């Protein structure tokens, strides 16, 4: 049963009608049924949201001291925890994602607000001895209005990764969710208003990327842009930011390797590797979608991964024991399936999955592509679905070469029984995060972000605050002689 609800934009502290007048029907990916009707922002709405953010910067939000921002971030974390049941169901139905994953994401979202509530204490300038009767100090100022654009795969988590450091730094935000998945962040904005964030500090403008999104990025009232999404769109956004020299950070795609050496404990490595691709149905930037396996254990590992892939519980996202829900849409499923067909044509073997089943909903089975080379499209391009490509390697040097032979560099996992090798390989892999005998990827406090075409800038960390701050140097003279450089 689907209950349709209507949602406005969130601007200047309240839900508002769109100037565009556009309401869009959202359907539930797992059932195809109508879920909600949501306002879509156009250019006039973006103008209004940016104006509200600028007014907040010059007004109540700009005057809110760090201790009070910290209290508000904690209050929002508390509100997320208190409303977790409603938020989890909303997110699970909107994305088609297993509610078990969504619950973990919600806990992470609350923790992230708490982390930045504390990290505010690190915002400080300094004064260091320069000599020559010069007195200098620096101070940190919010960079200004932040435009934030997030994708559909973790709508709530990605929005909170972006909101928390910006708000901690004192920046007001205009956030554009993906038009398919605006529900949870609209609710977060309401909760923020309820706990006391001043009007204009948080504005949410759901809308299409190439129109509303690019208008927001190019808006002269926006000082900083933070984007999570595909590498192609990241490039477009970089172009839009280049002429006005806007501050920019990009969290982009990945094609992350998972290296299994013959000396690894396979009873951990195999089930963890299965989780690392099929969690979130593979619609994860950090999905370990290339499984690199030492030649001597290749057939064994392909057999074990195939067997465990068939045991992943796929089904109704709202059932508590479901491990994988549906994909975001049937059109996205077509794209995913196209990669699998392409791999078959290139001569790879699909050992399980790889077929679209009967019935409603955008479901796709856990799929394993074996006998694959790293040059195949399925090994180079981000599939963003439950598809792992298993590639053999000869030795450690070959493993590192293949791991790095891709345009992305977001994440990597290494499985080995040799501790020295774990650290040696970690130092040679070009990726923002490397796990050793551990599949988990994101924790508040640990920098998260990419090398190469996976983007630049780090989220989740203390250093993220600096991406929302300017450093101002103030210099004066403490000497007794007149300052008269020309001797006039
Ligand atoms: P996408 O780039 O098409 O869309 C992402 C967001 O950008 C959406 O909100 C979209 O509306 C907006 N957008 C699209 N075109 C735009 C434009 N021209 N100007 C401004 N905004 C625009 O990405 P997608 O394919 O929908 O989402 C999945 C992608 O996101 C994957 O490639 C995935 O790896 C990436 N991702 C990266 C991370 C990370 O942290 N590195 C996290 C999650 C997802
Ligand atoms: Mn897209």
């Amino acid at each position: 049963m689907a209950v349709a609800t209507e949602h406005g934009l969130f601007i200047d502290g309240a839900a508002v009608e769109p100037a565009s007048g556009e309401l869009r029907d959202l359907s539930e990916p797992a059932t195809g049924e109508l879920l909600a009707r949501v306002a879509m922002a156009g250019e006039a709405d973006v103008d209004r949201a940016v104006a509200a953010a600028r007014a907040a910067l010059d007004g109540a939000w700009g005057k809110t001291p760090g201790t009070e921002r910290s209290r508000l971030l904690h209050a929002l974390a508390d509100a997320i925890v208190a409303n977790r049941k409603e938020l989890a169901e909303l997110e699970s139905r909107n994305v088609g994602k297993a509610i078990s994953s969504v619950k973990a994401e919600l806990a992470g979202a609350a923790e992230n607000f708490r982390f930045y509530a504390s990290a505010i204490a690190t915002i400080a300038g300094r004064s260091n001895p320069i000599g020559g009767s010069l007195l200098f100090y620096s101070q940190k100022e919010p960079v200004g209005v932040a435009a934030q654009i997030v994708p559909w795969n973790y709508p709530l988590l990605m929005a909170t990764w972006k909101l928390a450091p910006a708000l901690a730094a004192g920046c007001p935000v205009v956030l554009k969710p993906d038009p398919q998945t605006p529900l949870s962040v609209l609710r977060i904005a309401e909760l923020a208003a309820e706990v006391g964030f001043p009007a204009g500090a948080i504005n949410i403008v759901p809308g299409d990327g190439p129109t509303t999104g690019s208008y927001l990025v190019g808006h002269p009232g926006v000082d900083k842009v933070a984007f999570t999404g595909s590498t192609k769109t990241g490039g477009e956004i970089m172009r839009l930011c280049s002429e006005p020299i806007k501050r920019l950070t990009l969290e982009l795609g990945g094609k992350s390797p998972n290296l299994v050496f013959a000396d690894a404990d396979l009873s951990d490595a195999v089930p963890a590797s299965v989780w690392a691709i099929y969690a979130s149905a593979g619609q994860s930037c950090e999905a370990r979608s290339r499984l690199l396996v030492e030649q001597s254990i290749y057939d064994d590992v392909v057999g074990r991964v195939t067997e465990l892939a068939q045991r992943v519980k796929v089904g109704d996202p709202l059932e508590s024991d479901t491990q994988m829900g549906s994909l975001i849409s049937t059109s996205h499923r077509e794209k995913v399936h196209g990669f699998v067909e392409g791999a078959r044509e290139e001569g790879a073997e699909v050992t399980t999955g790889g077929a679209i089943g009967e019935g409603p909903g955008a479901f796709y089975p856990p799929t394993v592509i074996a006998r694959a080379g790293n040059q195949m499209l399925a090994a180079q391009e981000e599939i963003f679905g439950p598809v792992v490509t298993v590639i053999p390697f000869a030795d450690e040097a070959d493993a590192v070469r293949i791991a790095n032979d891709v345009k992305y560099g977001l994440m990597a996992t290494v499985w080995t029984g040799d501790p020295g090798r774990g650290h040696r390989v970690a130092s040679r892999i070009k990726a923002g995060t490397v796990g050793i005998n551990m599949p988990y990827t994101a924790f508040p406090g640990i920098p998260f972000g990419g090398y190469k075409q996976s983007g630049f800038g780090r989220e989740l960390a203390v250093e993220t605050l600096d991406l929302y701050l300017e450093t101002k140097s103030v210099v004066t003279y403490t000497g007794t002689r007149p300052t008269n450089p020309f001797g006039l």
Side-chain angles (χ1 to χ4, degrees), residues 152 178 180 230 233:
W152 48 258
D178 190 280
Q180 300 167 95
S230 62
T233 305

Side-chain angles (χ1 to χ4, degrees), residues 174-188:
V174 179
L175 185 142
K176 193 200 79 62
D178 190 280
Q180 300 167 95
T181 53
L183 299 181
S184 54
V185 73
L186 285 167
R187 185 72 187 113
I188 296 280

Side-chain angles (χ1 to χ4, degrees), residues 112-152:
N112 189 47
F113 279 114
R114 295 197 193 290
F115 174 77
Y116 282 106
S118 301
I120 286 175
T122 69
I123 300 175
R126 64 178 185 182
S127 180
N128 47 306
I130 305 297
S133 302
L134 280 178
L135 173 62
F136 146 81
Y137 65 90
S138 63
Q139 62 188 34
K140 299 283 184 177
E141 296 174 0
V143 70
V145 170
Q148 304 186 318
I149 296 183
V150 293
W152 48 258

Side-chain angles (χ1 to χ4, degrees), residues 106-476:
L106 269 162
E111 288 301 296
N112 189 47
F113 279 114
R114 295 197 193 290
F115 174 77
Y116 282 106
S118 301
I120 286 175
T122 69
I123 300 175
R126 64 178 185 182
S127 180
N128 47 306
I130 305 297
S133 302
L134 280 178
L135 173 62
F136 146 81
Y137 65 90
S138 63
Q139 62 188 34
K140 299 283 184 177
E141 296 174 0
V143 70
V145 170
Q148 304 186 318
I149 296 183
V150 293
W152 48 258
N153 59 335
Y154 293 82
L156 182 138
L157 193 66
M158 290 301 104
T160 57
W161 282 20
K162 292 235 172 328
L163 287 170
L167 295 168
C171 295
V173 173
V174 179
L175 185 142
K176 193 200 79 62
D178 190 280
Q180 300 167 95
T181 53
L183 299 181
S184 54
V185 73
L186 285 167
R187 185 72 187 113
I188 296 280
E190 279 174 7
L191 292 172
E194 282 168 25
V195 303
F197 275 86
I202 301 172
N203 306 276
I204 312 292
V205 287
D208 289 321
T211 49
T212 303
S214 59
Y215 183 76
L216 172 62
V217 169
H219 200 292
V222 165
D223 303 288
K224 189 241 159 34
V225 177
F227 171 77
T228 296
S230 62
T231 293
K232 186 167 174 292
T233 305
E236 288 292 322
I237 288 176
M238 217 167 159
R239 269 189 285 283
L240 289 171
C241 290
S242 71
E243 206 191 325
I245 320 288
K246 281 190 190 174
R247 280 88 187 104
L248 173 66
T249 42
L250 299 173
E251 296 281 0
L252 307 175
K255 192 71 192 178
S256 298
N258 192 352
L259 291 72
V260 182
F261 287 91
D263 60 14
D265 177 352
L266 293 187
S267 65
D268 274 350
V270 173
S273 302
V274 167
W275 175 84
I277 178 63
Y278 301 127
S280 292
Q283 300 171 125
S284 242
C285 52
E286 85 282 7
R288 267 48 53 81
S289 51
R290 288 185 301 146
L291 182 55
L292 314 187
V293 183
E294 192 159 354
Q295 190 69 66
S296 60
I297 56 165
Y298 183 84
D299 289 335
D300 183 23
V301 169
V302 168
R304 292 187 196 213
V305 168
T306 300
E307 204 230 306
L308 292 194
Q310 291 162 354
R311 281 208 248 150
V312 173
K313 197 162 182 304
V314 183
D316 180 352
L318 294 173
E319 287 293 328
S320 61
D321 60 347
T322 292
Q323 292 166 322
M324 213 179 95
S326 75
L327 305 191
I328 186 68
S329 63
T330 49
S331 63
H332 182 60
R333 177 171 70 179
E334 285 307 313
K335 212 181 107 189
V336 169
H337 187 57
F339 278 109
V340 176
E341 292 293 357
R344 280 192 176 106
E345 280 158 30
E346 282 190 89
E349 180 193 343
V350 177
T351 61
T352 188
I356 294 174
E358 300 287 303
F363 289 92
Y364 197 77
T367 297
V368 177
I369 298 175
R371 327 264 153 242
N374 194 54
Q375 290 319 311
M376 287 183 178
L377 223 51
Q380 290 290 320
E381 296 297 325
E382 187 173 46
I383 298 176
F384 229 56
V387 180
V388 68
T389 305
V390 197
I391 301 159
F393 65 80
D395 55 21
E396 189 177 306
D398 195 37
V400 170
R401 182 188 61 76
I402 297 172
N404 286 332
D405 187 10
V406 70
K407 69 187 175 198
Y408 297 110
L410 189 62
M411 185 76 49
T413 307
V414 185
W415 295 94
T416 174
D418 173 350
R421 168 181 274 163
H423 296 288
R424 203 160 57 231
V425 171
S427 77
R428 289 177 188 159
I429 289 185
K430 304 251 180 288
T433 305
V434 184
I436 303 174
N437 295 330
M438 210 282 286
Y440 310 118
T441 53
F443 304 88
I446 301 179
F448 182 101
Y451 279 38
K452 304 196 283 187
Q453 291 187 34
S454 291
F456 50 81
R458 294 292 179 269
E459 299 194 285
L460 280 184
V462 171
E463 65 209 73
T464 312
L465 286 173
D466 255 327
L467 306 171
Y468 290 94
L469 295 165
E470 293 282 8
T471 301
K472 177 174 287 167
S473 297
V474 180
V475 191
T476 189

